[in-house]
Amino acid sequence: MRPQKAEKTDEVQGLPRITKQRRAIFAALQGDASHPTAEEVYLRVKEELPHISLATVYRNLKLLARQGLIREISTGEGPNRYDFRTHEHAHFQCDRCGRILDVEMGLPRELTRDLERTGFRVRSHELVLHGLCPDCGAASSAD
Amino acid sequence: MRPQKAEKTDEVQGLPRITKQRRAIFAALQGDASHPTAEEVYLRVKEELPHISLATVYRNLKLLARQGLIREISTGEGPNRYDFRTHEHAHFQCDRCGRILDVEMGLPRELTRDLERTGFRVRSHELVLHGLCPDCGAASSAD
DNA sequence: ACCCGATTTGCAAATGCGTCGCAGGTGTTA
DNA sequence: TAACACCTGCGACGCATTTGCAAATCGGGT
Ligand SMILES: [Mn+2]
Ligand SMILES: [Mn+2]
Ligand SMILES: [Zn+2]
Ligand SMILES: [Zn+2]
């Protein structure tokens, strides 16, 4: 029996393939706590794959995020950032140095429970704190 | 004595003036629970001030937000949105209809306390939840 | 190993959203 | 009313990200 080419109604696209670009982009994030931007990932991957295109990096970061293999973070300040840590945690962005630091915390269970009880379906959430990181806070008071 | 024109070192700019554009933009937000985009505010204000420019709307929304008179919200999905409600509350954006709804909740005090204790200075935070709103959740299960 | 079609890539152009520079206009204070 | 700093409208610009397309590449089936 022939394998049913693309459905007509639903936009089901085939399974993602493992290209060297995709693999390298994913690898570039692993163990990196800096929450790099697409541009930064691009520069990094380019050392291994000099011909890779920035568009490919964007496409794959989006895809990996959709697959849940990485996390996409928008801080409301500058470009999106990417995180290999996919567990539930919040982020702190320093107003001064711009760095993004992990804040280990989840939402109070009761909150989402209350929302669900009101008819909402909570799929995800993003919490970003702003202020001064320990380094910059100290620097500015010593100023 | 002459009034000290602009400081040399510090970029202190004079006091904001009350122009009809600024007033109209602020007024357009009042009582509006829809969290409109700059574009939407622009269209609304244009009915009263047909010659207003979109750049002016952007400039004033930013300024009003800096003054703390309104709140700027970036959901990570589409353009920024503006809120006349400045008290601490979170937002829920529906994946289906895109609407943004208020969620009355603040951060657990203990969290920021722990952060401050570690040397952070928390100035603000933004919490955005994603999922399906009551209307869309019902619609999709009835589907 | 080879085929073949669906997926992916590199490239450039396009898009979306927001900001900037500048030449007048306007609000505010004296 | 005069003076001047702040504002506005306008278009050009900038940055981040997306998209169209032809060529390259994966990978399941043979
Ligand atoms: Mn993180
Ligand atoms: Mn709100
Ligand atoms: Zn810092
Ligand atoms: Zn909805």
Side-chain angles (χ1 to χ4, degrees):
Chain A
M1 81 195 274
R2 59 216 145 91
Q4 264 338 54
K5 50 168 55 174
E7 318 294 303
K8 34 171 168 274
T9 52
D10 212 326
E11 302 291 333
V12 185
Q13 56 230 49
L15 32 158
R17 293 174 177 176
I18 304 177
T19 64
K20 59 181 183 302
Q21 291 88 341
R22 191 159 296 162
R23 185 194 307 284
I25 289 165
F26 182 68
L29 284 174
Q30 293 314 124
D32 173 3
S34 76
H35 305 92
T37 63
E39 186 79 36
E40 289 165 345
V41 172
Y42 169 62
L43 291 175
R44 212 170 298 177
V45 171
K46 212 153 77 128
E47 290 170 23
E48 186 189 343
L49 301 174
H51 293 305
I52 197 172
S53 126
L54 181 53
T56 295
V57 173
Y58 272 108
R59 274 187 293 238
N60 281 299
L61 286 173
K62 263 288 185 286
L63 181 137
L64 291 169
R66 274 197 307 269
Q67 312 291 152
L69 294 175
I70 63 174
R71 218 173 117 182
E72 184 178 44
I73 304 162
S74 49
T75 62
E77 183 80 351
N80 283 356
R81 298 174 163 274
Y82 296 88
D83 197 341
F84 76 104
R85 309 185 69 194
T86 59
H87 72 288
E88 178 178 27
H89 67 284
H91 292 102
F92 180 97
Q93 182 168 43
C94 179
D95 294 332
R96 196 142 171 285
C97 67
R99 268 185 302 179
I100 293 180
L101 302 164
D102 285 336
V103 176
E104 297 303 332
M105 81 158 293
L107 278 197
R109 265 295 149 265
E110 55 180 88
L111 169 69
T112 58
R113 177 170 39 70
D114 288 355
L115 279 172
E116 306 266 355
R117 191 179 288 155
T118 332
F120 288 87
R121 304 228 191 128
V122 182
R123 185 183 46 79
S124 68
H125 61 83
E126 190 159 344
L127 170 59
V128 181
L129 303 149
H130 292 271
L132 292 177
C133 74
D135 292 358
C136 294
S140 85
S141 41
D143 183 355
Chain B
M1 81 196 268
R2 59 219 144 85
Q4 271 327 60
K5 50 170 55 175
E7 318 294 302
K8 30 172 172 276
T9 51
D10 212 329
E11 303 289 332
V12 185
Q13 54 228 47
L15 30 159
R17 292 175 176 174
I18 305 175
T19 64
K20 58 180 183 302
Q21 292 87 342
R22 190 159 297 163
R23 186 197 306 284
I25 289 165
F26 182 68
L29 284 174
Q30 295 314 125
D32 173 3
S34 77
H35 305 91
T37 64
E39 187 80 35
E40 289 166 344
V41 172
Y42 169 63
L43 291 176
R44 212 170 297 178
V45 171
K46 213 151 78 125
E47 290 171 22
E48 186 188 346
L49 301 174
H51 293 304
I52 197 172
S53 125
L54 180 54
T56 295
V57 174
Y58 273 110
R59 275 188 293 241
N60 280 299
L61 287 173
K62 259 292 181 282
L63 182 136
L64 291 169
R66 275 197 305 269
Q67 312 291 149
L69 294 175
I70 63 174
R71 217 173 118 182
E72 185 177 44
I73 305 161
S74 48
T75 63
E77 184 79 350
N80 283 355
R81 297 174 163 273
Y82 296 89
D83 196 340
F84 76 104
R85 309 185 70 192
T86 59
H87 72 288
E88 179 177 23
H89 66 284
H91 291 103
F92 181 98
Q93 182 168 41
C94 179
D95 294 333
R96 194 143 173 284
C97 66
R99 268 186 301 178
I100 293 180
L101 302 164
D102 286 335
V103 176
E104 297 304 333
M105 80 158 294
L107 278 197
R109 265 296 147 263
E110 56 181 89
L111 168 69
T112 59
R113 176 169 44 68
D114 288 355
L115 278 173
E116 306 264 355
R117 191 178 287 156
T118 333
F120 289 88
R121 304 230 189 126
V122 181
R123 186 183 45 78
S124 68
H125 60 85
E126 190 159 342
L127 170 57
V128 181
L129 304 148
H130 292 269
L132 292 178
C133 75
D135 291 0
C136 294
S140 86
S141 42
D143 182 356

